[in-house]
Amino acid sequence: MFSSLMLQEACSASEHVALQLTRDGDSYAALAARLRQAQPAGVLTVARGSSDHAANYCAYLIMARLGRIVASLPMSLVTLYKSPLLTRDALAIAVSQSGQSPDVIEPIRYFREGGATTVALVNDAASPLAASAEWTLPLHAGPELSVAATKSFITSLVAAARLVGYWQGDAEFLAQIEALPEALQKATEVDWSAAIEVLAPASRIMVVGRGASFPVALEAALKFKETSVLQAEAFSGAEIKHGPMALIDEGYPLLIFATRGPTQASLLKLAEEMRGRGARVLLAAPADINERDLTLPLGPTPDLDPIAAIQAFYVMAAKLSIARGLDPDRPRHLSKVTKTN
């Protein structure tokens, strides 16, 4: 079995996170001071694809740790509808690997011109997006050669956590973030081969998370589609009974990310119920959960568990693609930089 670029880049994430953690501390601190002083009236995220899943995680942390309501901006309101949005005193956070897509760049320019604080979490610090935002926080993921984003997604999550930690002024959380490189390295060594055995012949899968783990479910479903041509849908564990459960029949595969925290108990209960309905459940849970099928590596604190979880998933996903006779580095119909208006 050959080693794909996707696998190599995924496994290098810990190195790039370690690099990021040595950079831009003054910028994070200065931005945090501005935000504490400005008290933004509204917070919006601007992103597409994997970056939008990272923005979802960023939004979760801001709401859970800072109590501020965050919305995802439908970019077409700016790019196509030309809606007269009130932007003054808002905070707009864009997340992007390339910083090249017009439908991410234009809203950031619009919000900045309208008096908002604009922030770009972007891998290319010389990109048009970086030039358009008032504040640029580079991801430091390095060049990403595989079409499927891995290390840039992980560094986006870390940048989001750093932003929130500095904004909150939480020294303990920032110290826990510093321990992520070691946690990520350990996560690359977790054995998820049981998932490959189940999913190599599969044609569909439902991926489930809740709370902090839902962004990981979204990202995992996208990677299943991109690299393994699996019809994958992501749902919050709270939404399964609102219609999606009708899809479940004998042998239907479900991957459930049951990370630590208040939502874990409900996800464990869901796994048990879905097994009772005949689903082939792959329960990813920490080592202290006896009924798990896959062992979830832990982050330094529960809010950082999703970062370790997606690291373990990426290693499995790269290997699954090859097991299905595909090349994870060259997903069909896809290119590295996607530009939409």
Side-chain angles (χ1 to χ4, degrees):
M1 180 180 292
F2 72 89
S3 178
S4 64
L5 286 172
M6 179 184 174
L7 180 58
Q8 293 172 27
E9 290 182 340
C11 290
S12 73
S14 62
E15 301 169 20
H16 296 285
V17 169
L19 174 62
Q20 185 196 119
L21 293 175
T22 66
R23 305 287 179 88
D24 310 308
D26 290 345
S27 295
Y28 280 94
L31 173 58
R34 164 79 73 85
L35 294 175
R36 287 195 293 269
Q37 180 182 24
Q39 296 291 314
V43 184
L44 294 166
T45 62
V46 184
R48 292 281 192 207
S50 288
S51 294
D52 192 42
H53 305 153
N56 191 305
Y57 175 71
C58 183
Y60 173 86
L61 290 181
I62 291 172
M63 288 188 279
R65 300 182 72 90
L66 290 159
R68 295 185 173 275
I69 296 173
V70 185
S72 174
L73 176 71
M75 283 92 89
S76 62
L77 288 175
V78 174
T79 62
L80 300 177
Y81 288 89
K82 308 299 181 183
S83 302
L85 302 178
L86 301 177
T87 60
R88 182 166 296 279
D89 300 325
L91 167 63
I93 303 171
V95 186
S96 176
Q97 301 164 48
S98 69
Q100 300 285 340
S101 187
D103 64 348
V104 176
I105 297 165
E106 188 175 336
I108 288 298
R109 287 177 177 164
Y110 180 89
F111 272 78
R112 185 174 183 178
E113 291 169 359
T117 300
T118 52
V119 180
L121 309 183
V122 61
N123 198 33
D124 184 353
S127 64
L129 175 63
S132 299
E134 181 183 3
W135 298 83
T136 297
L137 301 175
L139 303 182
H140 298 291
E144 201 164 43
L145 302 178
S146 177
V147 171
T150 54
K151 60 181 181 172
S152 63
F153 179 76
I154 290 173
T155 51
S156 297
L157 300 185
V158 176
R162 292 180 77 193
L163 171 60
V164 173
Y166 274 97
W167 185 358
Q168 193 177 15
D170 189 332
E172 182 181 3
F173 187 49
L174 290 171
Q176 290 164 334
I177 293 171
E178 292 288 331
L180 274 170
E182 182 180 358
L184 287 167
Q185 183 55 45
K186 290 180 179 178
T188 65
E189 300 165 5
V190 174
D191 181 11
W192 276 25
S193 57
I196 297 175
E197 293 176 12
V198 171
L199 299 178
S203 61
R204 55 185 180 166
I205 185 171
M206 195 178 293
V207 190
V208 182
R210 192 175 181 186
S213 68
F214 184 55
V216 170
L218 289 167
E219 174 63 8
L222 178 60
K223 287 299 182 288
F224 278 137
K225 288 190 278 274
E226 283 182 330
T227 63
S228 282
V229 199
L230 269 170
Q231 181 60 50
E233 293 189 83
F235 293 101
S236 163
E239 295 291 337
I240 292 292
K241 294 182 180 180
H242 292 266
M245 192 167 65
L247 294 170
I248 302 298
D249 55 14
E250 191 68 30
Y252 194 113
L254 275 80
L255 172 58
I256 300 177
F257 286 96
T259 56
R260 294 178 296 174
T263 64
Q264 187 185 69
S266 66
L267 291 169
L268 298 180
K269 184 177 180 181
L270 177 68
E272 181 181 7
E273 182 175 348
M274 292 300 100
R275 284 185 174 123
R277 292 179 177 273
R280 180 58 177 92
V281 173
L282 291 166
L283 174 62
D288 63 342
I289 305 298
N290 292 331
E291 59 268 36
R292 73 189 185 282
D293 300 278
L294 308 169
T295 300
L296 269 184
L298 301 181
T301 189
D303 275 349
L304 300 176
D305 280 357
I307 304 178
I310 200 63
Q311 175 72 89
F313 170 82
Y314 280 151
V315 173
M316 183 277 292
K319 295 177 180 178
L320 173 64
S321 178
I322 295 169
R324 288 172 63 85
L326 300 166
D327 183 348
D329 299 330
R330 297 174 179 82
R332 63 190 186 188
H333 313 310
L334 299 176
S335 60
K336 185 60 191 170
V337 177
T338 302
K339 295 184 179 182
T340 49
N341 294 308

